């Protein structure tokens, strides 16, 4: 039968293939030993030489995209795999074309079309996707950085104590303004967090008013806000507890303009 196919090159030196003959009766079946057996007919001596460019084409095509190869007389899966540098050898070539070849890899015939590089394109696409993934993640990370809340620090003075207290009050829904707090502090303690009243009725009853907003201990304990120190002399804890009490009794510390 005349040679047919594409990307065909002459074999001046055929790879020696070991054959094992098995079967019963007069017909013997040749199975691949170190490779597959050749196709049924001998290759014609007058097969035209393939151009140099055509010889190099299959290897390049295998790397970029699958190619279709038509079996010619004298072909074997092992020889085709070697000729086209199939990664995985004739076993891979057979695996990719098992549906076309059938259950016996030695029984290929002239005219049978094989796909060389099947699955390679998918692998290449997967590799390219994997390579792009870190870059995409990095890009997303740059365009949408995780939100980070910087820790806020306050100065250890009257201004810092009031602003920190207002921040805590906001979280707990306690009303009050900077002006209202500052005004009442200046009247009650002149801004001294260690101020104490030892002469009024509260002092006579054993519960003197203490701190920036002159809060007695029972009131401080009842209106203390979690997250602040349980210390009447602590300026932030004192302000927040006093504003919590004022909100309960007067609606807001802003509404307090005298002794409370």
């Amino acid at each position: 039968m005349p040679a047919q196919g594409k990307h065909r090159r002459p074999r001046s030196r055929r790879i020696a293939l070991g054959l094992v003959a098995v079967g019963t009766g007069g017909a013997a079946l040749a199975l691949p030993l170190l490779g597959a057996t050749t196709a049924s007919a001998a290759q014609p001596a007058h097969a035209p030489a393939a151009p140099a460019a055509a010889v190099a084409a299959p290897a390049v095509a295998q790397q970029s995209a699958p190619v279709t190869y038509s079996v010619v007389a004298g072909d074997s899966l092992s020889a085709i795999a070697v000729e086209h540098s199939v990664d995985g050898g004739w076993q891979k070539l057979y695996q990719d074309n098992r549906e076309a070849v059938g259950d016996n890899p030695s029984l290929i015939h002239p005219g049978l079309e094989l796909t060389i590089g099947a699955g390679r394109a998918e692998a290449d696409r997967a590799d390219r996707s994997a390579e792009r993934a870190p870059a995409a993640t990095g890009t997303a990370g740059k365009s949408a950085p995780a939100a980070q809340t910087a820790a806020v620090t306050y100065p250890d003075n009257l201004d810092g104590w009031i602003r920190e207290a207002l921040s805590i009050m906001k979280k707990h829904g306690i009303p009050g303004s900077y002006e209202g707090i500052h005004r009442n502090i200046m009247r009650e303690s002149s801004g001294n967090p260690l101020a104490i009243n030892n002469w009024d009725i509260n002092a006579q009853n054993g519960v003197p008013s203490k701190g920036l907003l002159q809060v007695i201990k029972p009131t401080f304990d009842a209106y203390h806000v979690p997250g602040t120190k349980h210390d009447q002399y602590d300026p932030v804890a004192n302000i927040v507890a006093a504003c919590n009490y004022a909100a309960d009794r007067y609606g807001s510390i802003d509404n307090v303009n005298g002794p409370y």
Side-chain angles (χ1 to χ4, degrees):
M1 182 177 292
Q4 296 180 3
K6 34 190 175 176
H7 306 296
R8 183 75 187 135
R9 71 181 182 191
R11 295 184 182 80
S12 57
R13 284 178 282 184
R14 167 68 68 185
I15 297 174
L17 303 176
L19 304 179
V20 177
V22 296
T24 59
L29 176 63
L31 298 178
L33 184 56
L34 297 178
T37 62
T38 59
S40 57
Q43 178 171 340
H46 61 274
V55 173
V60 175
Q62 178 199 358
Q63 296 178 5
S64 58
V67 297
T68 300
Y69 175 82
S70 294
V71 174
V72 299
D75 267 339
S76 67
L77 292 182
S78 60
I80 297 171
V82 171
E83 182 180 10
H84 293 274
S85 303
V86 176
D87 187 13
W90 73 266
Q91 294 92 337
K92 172 62 174 168
L93 184 60
Y94 174 53
Q95 176 186 341
D96 292 342
N97 294 275
R98 180 159 188 160
E99 185 176 348
V101 174
D103 294 334
N104 193 332
S106 68
L107 297 181
I108 61 172
H109 55 82
L112 177 66
E113 291 193 343
L114 302 176
T115 301
I116 299 176
R120 178 66 182 173
E122 293 297 329
D124 289 343
R125 281 194 292 271
D127 291 342
R128 288 193 295 271
S129 297
E131 291 172 359
R132 286 194 300 266
T137 301
T139 301
K142 292 179 182 178
S143 60
Q148 295 181 354
T149 303
V152 179
T153 57
Y154 299 93
D156 189 22
N157 55 30
L158 182 58
D159 175 71
W161 300 332
I162 294 175
R163 289 195 289 116
E164 184 175 355
L166 284 169
S167 175
I168 296 171
M169 290 164 58
K170 182 177 181 180
K171 293 178 182 177
H172 291 272
I174 300 171
S177 67
Y178 187 102
E179 187 279 329
I181 294 172
H182 186 272
R183 170 167 40 84
N184 281 283
I185 285 176
M186 297 310 294
R187 185 189 65 252
E188 294 291 335
S189 66
S190 299
N192 179 11
L194 300 180
I196 181 171
N197 185 324
N198 287 316
W199 55 267
D200 67 4
I201 187 63
N202 290 320
Q204 295 174 22
N205 290 332
V207 284
S209 302
K210 298 179 180 180
L212 289 175
L213 283 169
Q214 292 292 283
V215 183
I216 62 175
K217 190 173 189 314
T219 300
F220 179 83
D221 290 342
Y223 290 94
H224 172 259
V225 174
T228 62
K229 293 182 180 179
H230 205 98
D231 178 2
Q232 280 179 264
Y233 286 117
D234 180 79
V236 175
N238 187 283
I239 293 173
V240 175
C243 288
N244 195 23
Y245 163 73
D248 185 39
R249 184 164 183 179
Y250 303 101
S252 171
I253 189 71
D254 294 345
N255 297 329
V256 178
N257 294 295
Y260 64 113

